Amino acid sequence: MKFTRSTFYRLLAAAALTASGAAMAAGNHAGGHGHGDGEETAIGKPGVAAKASRTITIEMSDTMRFTPSNIQVKQGETVRFIVKNAGKVKHELTLGTEKELLEHLEQMRKFPDMEHDEPGKVTLQPGKQGEIVWQFTKAGGVNFACLIPGHYEAGMKGLIQVSKK
């Protein structure tokens, strides 16, 4: 396990919550979303690159938009997303339910320099690119957004529509 800044913040937050006697119903930042180690979540699970049936490139820009922002996939499909930051500021792409994204947004407001090391998230400096490989196991909508403070509020979000098999 890498000891990243987000791990430090998780430990710090856990210690603060424990000291205050507050319950940690959602777990730590990564554990609360359950996107690690290939386990199934409400939006699917991390995919295996060799099993990706197609690649979709998503561009992030300083107009606070994703291109494309609406994507169609099939239930069971594994997709490799190439995510490119075409802007001059840092952006991220995070997959999740709307509820998860809003919870994460609150954490990002408290810790704006939080770094991610989770399969359904990628944070990119200007001019850089990364990837997410995801298997969409359930039909319905999967949201994605940039949760850097101010970006989501400016409209930097999108939807992946997962059609039934």
Side-chain angles (χ1 to χ4, degrees):
M1 178 173 127
K2 289 195 277 186
F3 189 79
T4 63
R5 187 176 296 171
S6 66
T7 302
F8 170 76
Y9 285 132
R10 284 183 227 151
L11 292 172
L12 184 64
L17 286 172
T18 301
S20 70
M24 290 187 14
N28 66 28
H29 181 72
H33 298 311
H35 294 183
D37 300 327
E39 70 183 58
E40 183 100 16
T41 71
I43 62 163
K45 63 183 182 179
V48 176
K51 294 183 179 179
S53 59
R54 64 182 164 139
T55 299
I56 298 173
T57 300
I58 300 176
E59 190 172 280
M60 303 182 290
S61 71
D62 293 345
T63 61
M64 302 302 154
R65 296 292 183 263
F66 290 103
T67 305
S69 60
N70 289 295
I71 298 168
Q72 303 288 322
V73 301
K74 293 183 176 126
Q75 184 178 6
E77 187 174 11
T78 298
V79 177
R80 178 177 178 236
F81 294 100
I82 301 296
V83 184
K84 295 181 178 182
N85 183 350
K88 296 183 191 277
V89 299
K90 181 168 71 171
H91 292 292
E92 73 172 27
L93 187 147
T94 299
L95 298 173
T97 64
E98 186 173 17
K99 181 180 183 223
E100 287 174 336
L101 293 177
L102 292 174
E103 288 171 358
H104 184 140
L105 180 61
E106 287 305 311
Q107 290 297 313
M108 290 293 289
R109 285 182 179 142
K110 293 175 186 170
F111 305 108
D113 294 324
M114 182 185 301
E115 293 183 19
H116 303 101
D117 187 19
E118 300 168 51
K121 296 175 176 55
V122 63
T123 303
L124 298 169
Q125 295 296 327
K128 300 295 181 186
Q129 81 175 35
E131 74 174 43
I132 294 173
V133 179
W134 200 259
Q135 183 179 10
F136 296 91
T137 58
K138 299 176 176 125
V142 173
N143 297 283
F144 61 96
C146 179
L147 301 175
I148 292 173
H151 295 207
Y152 179 86
E153 296 85 347
M156 199 164 182
K157 50 191 159 185
L159 179 67
I160 301 167
Q161 189 59 47
V162 184
S163 62
K164 288 189 183 263
K165 287 184 185 183

